Amino acid sequence: MTQLPQFTRALLHPRYWFTWLGIGLLYVLVLLPYPLLYRLGCGLGRLSMRFMTRRVAVARRNLELCFPEMPEAEREAMVVRNFESVGMGLIETGMAWFWPNWRVSKWFQVSGLEHIAKAHQQGKGVLLIGMHFLTLELGARIFGIHNPGIGVYRPNDNALLDWLQTWGRMRSNKSMLDRKDLKGMIRALKNGDIIWYAPDHDYGPKSSVFVPFFGVEKAASTKGSYLLIRSGQPAVIPFVPRRLPHGKGYEMVILPAEEEMPLDDEAATAARMNKVVEHGVLMAPEQYMWLHRRFKTRPAGEPSLY
């Protein structure tokens, strides 16, 4: 069972003072009006491209792999917009952790809540399919305001940030589970809870099958989807939190439940789940986490894509 981090006096140790300073600056920053935060975040993202050159190269390569037919000039423009979103992602993390509910709700439009209500009426738990958008912290917060659920997360190596992200995410949700705690997730689904689950990262060869994802025919994709859906029998509902252009705020789109999720084997489930993720990503492609090496794990004997 996942043991959630707790605040202790050890987090006041001098080795965390620099982290505390960063947290304090972020808290003060997000007190500013949102239109100003939007301009600051986008500017910060463009500036970061000068220092995050390796991540820029990864994002460019991911877009090349996933959208081989996209003209080069269009891909380059997408990279710039993506790093504007990286800057906004930092700002939005502070918004998600520190803003009161009324201020978060003020900047969000929400559609599709009826799909969650329908699943509850049927007595089902909900496997809420999130994608690794740069808006994910804020998206989880607004979803939890309307339907508190249980988040799945990777513990942070920094104990202070681990406690803070858990505290921030639980402002509008019930609890958190380590992403390795499959038994806990299945138990929650059987109890009718909502599990926020992101199946779209590379979790290594032992936890993956190789199935298509966008233009990559053999992408390492998690086996966890198969285990959760087969054992928990949930409604599988994707959602997309996307940032509106020109500082107009956000919309959260909750999509209808997936009616035909194949459970013949792990590969079939993973391949179908990748199609679900692709559909969501295409709703806001410039806001996806292209800076991660999504395709770092390769089948045995095949060369690196990076």
Side-chain angles (χ1 to χ4, degrees):
M1 186 174 180
T2 301
Q3 297 294 320
L4 296 180
Q6 302 292 322
F7 180 84
T8 67
R9 292 181 63 185
L11 297 181
L12 301 177
H13 189 278
R15 68 173 171 269
Y16 296 116
W17 286 359
F18 186 77
T19 305
W20 277 115
L21 177 62
I23 293 168
L25 290 174
L26 184 60
Y27 175 83
V28 172
L29 179 64
V30 298
L31 295 175
L32 294 171
Y34 177 72
L36 181 55
L37 292 176
Y38 179 82
R39 292 194 290 273
L40 286 171
C42 290
L44 178 64
R46 290 191 297 271
L47 179 63
S48 74
M49 295 181 70
R50 300 189 179 195
F51 307 99
M52 300 174 65
T53 54
R54 184 168 174 270
R55 291 295 182 180
V56 171
V58 170
R60 185 178 290 120
R61 179 58 172 155
N62 280 335
L63 290 170
E64 181 183 39
L65 290 167
C66 291
F67 304 105
E69 303 301 322
M70 183 183 290
E72 184 177 353
E74 188 176 339
R75 276 203 302 268
E76 286 302 309
M78 179 78 77
V79 170
V80 174
R81 293 198 301 273
N82 191 231
F83 273 82
E84 290 178 347
S85 196
V86 170
M88 279 304 302
L90 174 62
I91 301 294
E92 288 158 356
T93 296
M95 292 161 57
W97 289 352
F98 302 128
W99 275 16
N101 286 354
W102 67 264
R103 194 175 180 194
V104 175
S105 298
K106 175 183 176 181
W107 289 99
F108 259 93
Q109 306 168 21
V110 179
S111 64
L113 289 169
E114 67 274 11
H115 305 309
I116 305 296
K118 180 179 178 181
H120 287 324
Q121 289 167 4
Q122 295 172 343
K124 293 183 176 182
V126 173
L127 190 64
L128 185 70
I129 304 302
M131 298 92 184
H132 278 89
F133 283 106
L134 290 152
T135 53
L136 67 84
E137 290 287 345
L138 196 53
R141 177 73 190 281
I142 190 65
F143 186 91
I145 288 173
H146 292 275
N147 285 284
I150 298 172
V152 175
Y153 81 116
R154 181 183 70 84
N156 198 292
D157 294 334
N158 181 307
L160 174 55
L161 290 179
D162 194 36
W163 167 76
L164 182 64
Q165 81 171 354
T166 303
W167 173 84
R169 291 175 178 181
M170 288 183 61
R171 291 195 64 186
S172 59
N173 282 290
K174 291 182 178 180
S175 188
M176 302 288 295
L177 289 171
D178 190 304
R179 69 181 185 182
K180 297 178 181 178
D181 189 0
L182 282 172
K183 289 184 179 179
M185 295 181 220
I186 292 168
R187 188 182 308 113
L189 291 172
K190 288 182 176 180
N191 288 337
D193 282 320
I194 300 170
I195 291 286
W196 188 99
Y197 178 71
D200 58 332
H201 263 195
D202 185 335
Y203 292 105
K206 292 183 179 180
S207 303
S208 302
V209 290
F210 292 94
V211 294
F213 183 66
F214 281 112
V216 179
E217 287 299 316
K218 297 177 181 178
S221 302
T222 178
K223 299 177 182 179
S225 302
Y226 172 79
L227 296 171
L228 288 172
I229 298 169
R230 184 175 181 181
S231 301
Q233 296 294 308
V236 178
I237 299 179
F239 86 116
V240 175
R242 57 185 177 184
R243 186 183 313 108
L244 299 174
H246 311 303
K248 300 298 184 182
Y250 303 83
E251 65 176 349
M252 183 176 70
V253 182
I254 302 171
L255 299 169
E258 292 293 315
E259 298 294 342
E260 298 181 5
M261 185 63 67
L263 293 173
D264 302 327
D265 54 45
E266 295 166 339
T269 304
R272 176 58 187 157
M273 187 64 78
N274 279 356
K275 291 296 182 184
V276 172
V277 172
E278 287 177 11
H279 175 70
V281 169
L282 290 174
M283 293 175 67
E286 75 284 357
Q287 297 174 33
Y288 191 63
M289 283 190 186
W290 296 114
L291 71 165
H292 282 281
R293 291 193 301 159
R294 172 63 181 85
F295 308 108
K296 65 181 178 181
T297 299
R298 304 296 298 141
E302 296 204 8
S304 172
L305 294 175
Y306 298 98

